């Protein structure tokens, strides 16, 4: 049993790495978190206005996606195609799955609010699959969308609903880093007839070996501690790499200059009480200096990943208000792109 094996590395509560290389991701923290981490089964019938299906897109690697489609609102022409969101989850590249309750509730709300198809990627996790595997799997999902757009494949939900000319990348925390990486790679590739309308990085997990002011001074919370962020980074980057790895710190000395990248318009959503806030704002400033189109939205008084805590949203009017504002800004960004 796992309990009899020697633990060689861990992020308390979240993940334990054993001497034989196996990994246990069973949640061992406070019971209050458990409902957010439970998987939600797919349902092809509409429930609360959304249908959900899981689909393997690469049998060789087992790469799969979760697809969400909205029940069309009465004021939307049923034959009109709707935006397509490629969603890349957070979790420090080491934990989380698209079927977790916290993502299910956020994604169903996003799909209903935007009226968009959403494809969320079950990319392989570190430390078994260290970076850049998460980027490779995420980009493979984009190429799967391209294959459907070109008629090389024919996923019924995509071909029936999705506007391949209006594709948006959305990711939270480390998924925000993946948004940057996938957008950058797409800029060097032929993804036609897909067209990237924009990238949305929600509290992106940008982090450097050099601590910023917010990282040092802002209080921790259960979903965001300094130990957790440092440990996830060390478990995710290639062995021998540092915290300056270009995927975790895309404006650092190891990363390609932003001026050399062809990026779509970006929306970066920052939480005021996020340990990573100043890293995120520095990224935005460097993007602007490089002539990139970037919009910044701040959720005041909020901490990292606040929008996923459904229990808090239901109980705290301010968290509910800030989550509503986040969704409204995303809807606006997509509608005018």
């Amino acid at each position: 049993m796992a309990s009899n094996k020697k633990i060689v590395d861990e992020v308390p509560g979240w993940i334990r790495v054993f001497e034989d290389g196996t990994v246990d991701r069973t949640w061992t923290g406070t019971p209050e978190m458990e409902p957010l981490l439970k998987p939600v089964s797919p349902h092809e019938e509409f429930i609360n206005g959304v249908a959900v299906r899981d689909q393997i897109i690469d049998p060789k690697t087992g790469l799969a996606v979760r697809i969400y489609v909205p029940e069309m609102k009465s004021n939307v022409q049923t034959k009109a195609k709707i935006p397509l969101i490629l969603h890349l989850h957070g979790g420090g590249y080491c934990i989380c799955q698209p079927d977790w309750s916290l993502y299910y509730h956020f994604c169903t709300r996003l799909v209903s609010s935007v009226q968009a198809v959403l494809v969320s990627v079950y990319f392989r996790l570190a430390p078994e699959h260290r970076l850049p595997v998460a980027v490779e799997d995420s980009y493979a999902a984009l190429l799967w969308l391209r294959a459907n757009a070109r008629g090389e494949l024919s996923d019924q939900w995509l071909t029936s609903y999705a506007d391949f000319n209006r594709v948006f990348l959305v990711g939270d925390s480390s998924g925000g880093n993946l948004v940057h990486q996938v957008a950058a790679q797409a800029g060097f590739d032929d993804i036609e007839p897909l067209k990237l309308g924009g990238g949305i990085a929600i509290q992106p997990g940008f982090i450097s070996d050099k601590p910023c002011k917010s990282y040092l001074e802002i209080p921790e919370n259960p979903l965001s501690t300094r130990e957790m962020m440092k440990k996830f980074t060390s478990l995710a980057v290639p062995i021998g790499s540092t915290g300056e790895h270009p995927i975790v710190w895309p404006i650092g000395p190891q990363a390609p200059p932003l001026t050399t990248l062809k990026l779509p318009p970006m929306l970066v959503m920052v939480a005021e009480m996020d340990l990573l806030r100043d890293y995120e704002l520095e990224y935005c400033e460097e993007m602007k200096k490089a002539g990139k189109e970037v919009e910044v939205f701040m959720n005041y008084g909020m901490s990292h990943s606040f929008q996923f805590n459904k229990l808090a949203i239901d109980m705290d009017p301010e968290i509910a208000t800030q989550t509503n504002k986040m969704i409204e800004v995303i809807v606006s960004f997509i509608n005018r792109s």
Side-chain angles (χ1 to χ4, degrees), residues 174-224:
S174 54
N177 301 51
L178 298 179
V179 165
H180 176 91
Q181 297 298 325
V182 170
Q185 190 168 342
F188 291 111
D189 205 353
D190 174 19
I191 63 168
E192 290 288 338
L194 293 183
K195 287 187 173 60
L196 286 186
I200 302 172
I202 303 171
Q203 302 138 20
F206 302 141
I207 192 167
S208 164
D209 280 340
K210 300 173 184 176
C212 64
K213 190 170 186 288
S214 62
Y215 186 83
L216 293 173
E217 296 181 2
I218 286 179
E220 298 178 332
N221 72 72
L223 289 176
S224 173

Side-chain angles (χ1 to χ4, degrees), residues 67-106:
I67 310 172
Y68 296 78
V69 295
E71 195 166 20
M72 294 300 203
K73 295 178 179 177
S74 58
N75 62 341
V76 178
Q77 292 182 356
T78 54
K79 292 185 179 180
K81 297 297 180 73
I82 57 178
L84 175 57
I85 294 171
L86 182 64
H87 174 259
L88 308 169
H89 69 76
Y93 320 99
C94 295
I95 60 169
C96 297
Q97 292 290 356
D99 64 358
W100 279 15
S101 177
L102 63 87
Y103 280 112
Y104 174 82
H105 288 293
F106 183 79

Side-chain angles (χ1 to χ4, degrees), residues 205-217 226 229-230 233 242-245 248-249 251-254 275-280 282-283:
F206 302 141
I207 192 167
S208 164
D209 280 340
K210 300 173 184 176
C212 64
K213 190 170 186 288
S214 62
Y215 186 83
L216 293 173
E217 296 181 2
R226 294 173 187 85
M229 292 179 175
K230 290 179 69 174
T233 299
T242 68
E244 299 290 311
H245 189 280
V248 299
W249 189 227
I251 58 172
Q254 298 180 28
L275 297 176
L276 302 180
R277 180 195 66 202
D278 292 345
Y279 290 127
E280 297 160 358
E282 184 179 352
Y283 167 84

Side-chain angles (χ1 to χ4, degrees), residues 6 24 46 66 92 96 126 146 211 229 251 261 282 311:
K6 182 180 178 182
D24 179 16
F46 288 104
R66 169 158 286 203
C96 297
R146 183 186 70 177
M229 292 179 175
I251 58 172
L261 305 181
E282 184 179 352
L311 301 175

Side-chain angles (χ1 to χ4, degrees), residues 98-136:
D99 64 358
W100 279 15
S101 177
L102 63 87
Y103 280 112
Y104 174 82
H105 288 293
F106 183 79
C107 290
T108 51
R109 181 173 181 182
L110 187 61
V111 164
S112 294
S113 300
V114 177
Q115 287 286 281
V117 178
L118 185 146
V119 175
S120 188
V121 185
Y122 287 91
F123 54 80
R124 288 169 288 175
L125 300 176
E128 305 97 316
H129 305 282
R130 290 177 178 260
L131 294 173
V133 171
V135 177
E136 294 167 352

Side-chain angles (χ1 to χ4, degrees), residues 224-244:
S224 173
T225 70
R226 294 173 187 85
E227 180 188 6
M228 180 191 306
M229 292 179 175
K230 290 179 69 174
K231 185 61 70 173
F232 278 147
T233 299
S234 70
L235 289 173
V237 298
I239 293 173
S241 296
T242 68
E244 299 290 311

